[in-house]
Amino acid sequence: MTTRIYFASNSLGHVSEPDLQRALDHFNLGELVHSHRTAEGVMGQTLLIQTTQGEFILKGNPLYNGQFQEEQFFVEQLAARTTIPVPVPYQIQEDTQLLGWSYVIMPKLPGNHLYDPVFQATLTSQDHKDITDVLAETLAELHHWKVPDAGEYDPVADKIMPFAGSYLDWLYGSIRHWLHDAEKYSVITDDDVSWVDEQLRQSESAFLVSTVHEFVMGDFKVENFLIQKTDPPASSWRISGLFDFTTAYFGDGTADLTKITARYLREDRPDLAARFLHHYRENVCADDAEKCKHFRSRLLIHLLYQRILWWGEAKATRQVTWEADLPFAPWAERYIEKVLSLLD
């Protein structure tokens, strides 16, 4: 399942035009005009294809058995449950004979990526603020999908399967697993472990109050959505496409705040990070006062989890972007305190 996959890659390799045309023919999607790799394609798995019928995304060579079935489930459910545009129809070809692996073809959604510097240059200060609000509202809408038990979609059983034990068991177990995994690539001291354990202990009660759990996208970042302005007279910003649900599960939606917050801080925009967090919290408080009361403690734990994953990946790939001799706990604590200060 995807909640256990973080550092994997299956690229497509070379796909010939005749083979690509046959892949299109299977779904009657017209004649191939041209194709190219997407700039930020997930794990090198995607091609942008233009045909005589329109533009499509081909995604192939799944990372694990059931990847496409899982994504299809979430795409179809979100299409029915929210107003957020997702890539439907999400059409799967399971036969591996044609391209050497199974693949899916979905419509290309309209809009721009926020990471595009050309698009960024067109945005005003007010545009940035409005887009920040839209991102918070989008997450709030996603998190309205609630289920009784925390868990993940099982493509074999074709249903959501609860985690073994409680959500707290799963979350804290995952955090400790990846902290100890980071010991393979870096120095994690007893003091680091003790500090992490203390953060977990202090926040434990914040995760024991919920009787329901919500959809968590798990990878809400600028690479996984498109945005555009609606036509006049309304002319307001909206998410025009949301995709890549290979890390989705059901738990605490606060986890989805970490990557956009981190990006705003990397771009030296703490004002936008604060606006994003406050606007999301306002939406949550309107619907769930109990969750709102524990918002800070929950966010702290998800920020800690994010820091552990990023530390482990950076150390494993030797792409450290901070002082090489800075211990984990001070490095993580400094960042977490900076984010939490934005809530004041």
Side-chain angles (χ1 to χ4, degrees), residues 62-69 155:
L63 299 173
Y64 56 91
N65 291 334
Q67 177 190 354
F68 297 155
Q69 289 75 14

Side-chain angles (χ1 to χ4, degrees), residues 90-102:
Y90 188 97
Q91 303 180 95
I92 300 174
Q93 168 56 282
E94 296 187 23
D95 190 347
T96 63
Q97 300 244 335
L98 179 59
L99 299 179
W101 24 255
S102 58

Side-chain angles (χ1 to χ4, degrees), residues 19 222 225:
D19 284 346
V222 294
F225 63 79

Side-chain angles (χ1 to χ4, degrees), residues 65-321:
N65 291 334
Q67 177 190 354
F68 297 155
Q69 289 75 14
E70 182 179 25
E71 281 202 280
Q72 184 183 59
F73 169 79
F74 284 118
V75 165
E76 292 177 349
Q77 289 291 318
L78 291 172
R81 294 172 179 269
T82 74
T83 63
I84 302 165
V86 290
V88 288
Y90 188 97
Q91 303 180 95
I92 300 174
Q93 168 56 282
E94 296 187 23
D95 190 347
T96 63
Q97 300 244 335
L98 179 59
L99 299 179
W101 24 255
S102 58
Y103 64 91
V104 59
I105 297 182
M106 65 193 101
K108 179 185 179 297
L109 298 168
N112 296 281
H113 282 288
L114 273 177
Y115 63 74
D116 183 348
V118 176
F119 175 62
Q120 281 274 344
T122 69
L123 301 177
T124 66
S125 176
Q126 188 59 49
D127 286 334
H128 283 291
K129 294 176 183 178
D130 293 344
I131 289 170
T132 298
D133 291 347
V134 167
L135 300 185
E137 291 161 8
T138 298
L139 282 181
E141 183 176 0
L142 286 174
H143 298 159
H144 276 139
W145 180 10
K146 299 182 187 298
V147 298
D149 299 306
E152 55 195 7
Y153 176 76
D154 184 333
V156 176
D158 189 26
K159 64 180 181 179
I160 300 163
M161 300 293 289
F163 293 130
S166 68
Y167 173 64
L168 184 70
D169 294 334
W170 174 82
L171 178 62
Y172 279 24
S174 298
I175 289 171
R176 289 189 170 106
H177 167 81
W178 288 110
L179 178 65
H180 291 298
D181 183 76
E183 292 177 332
K184 302 173 185 176
Y185 317 105
S186 65
V187 175
I188 298 293
T189 67
D190 290 343
D191 287 342
D192 292 329
V193 174
S194 295
W195 177 78
V196 170
D197 284 342
E198 180 61 15
Q199 308 315 303
L200 299 180
R201 186 191 66 78
Q202 291 184 8
S203 297
E204 184 172 327
S205 61
F207 293 96
L208 297 176
V209 297
S210 294
T211 57
V212 296
H213 297 85
E214 58 225 11
F215 172 81
V216 183
M217 183 171 174
D219 201 18
F220 189 75
K221 59 184 181 181
V222 294
E223 291 83 359
N224 290 340
F225 63 79
L226 295 161
I227 195 158
Q228 69 177 184
K229 210 164 194 178
T230 58
D231 294 331
S235 295
S236 58
W237 288 101
R238 66 165 191 142
I239 294 285
S240 54
L242 186 68
F243 40 85
D244 191 7
F245 302 103
T246 56
T247 53
Y249 62 98
F250 292 88
D252 174 34
T254 314
D256 276 336
L257 300 173
T258 59
K259 292 188 177 181
I260 294 297
T261 301
R263 185 176 184 87
Y264 280 140
L265 292 179
R266 285 199 307 272
E267 294 174 345
D268 197 23
R269 293 303 306 266
D271 57 319
L272 294 181
R275 186 183 183 102
F276 173 66
L277 293 172
H278 279 277
H279 196 58
Y280 175 83
R281 186 169 63 174
E282 289 167 2
N283 277 272
V284 168
C285 288
D287 296 328
D288 190 339
E290 192 66 25
K291 180 179 176 181
C292 180
K293 186 167 68 173
H294 298 281
F295 182 78
R296 179 185 289 266
S297 295
R298 290 180 176 217
L299 180 60
L300 183 156
I301 295 303
H302 295 304
L303 292 169
L304 172 60
Y305 193 2
Q306 178 200 57
R307 290 287 99 181
I308 290 170
L309 291 176
W310 285 12
W311 172 279
E313 182 178 14
K315 293 290 187 176
T317 57
R318 300 184 179 181
Q319 295 181 358
V320 177
T321 57

Side-chain angles (χ1 to χ4, degrees), residues 37-75:
R37 299 299 168 95
T38 57
E40 296 286 338
V42 178
M43 305 294 185
Q45 287 184 291
T46 54
L47 289 174
L48 172 62
I49 301 170
Q50 182 175 347
T51 79
T52 52
Q53 291 190 18
E55 289 187 309
F56 303 90
I57 298 292
L58 180 145
K59 189 172 185 177
N61 202 4
L63 299 173
Y64 56 91
N65 291 334
Q67 177 190 354
F68 297 155
Q69 289 75 14
E70 182 179 25
E71 281 202 280
Q72 184 183 59
F73 169 79
F74 284 118
V75 165

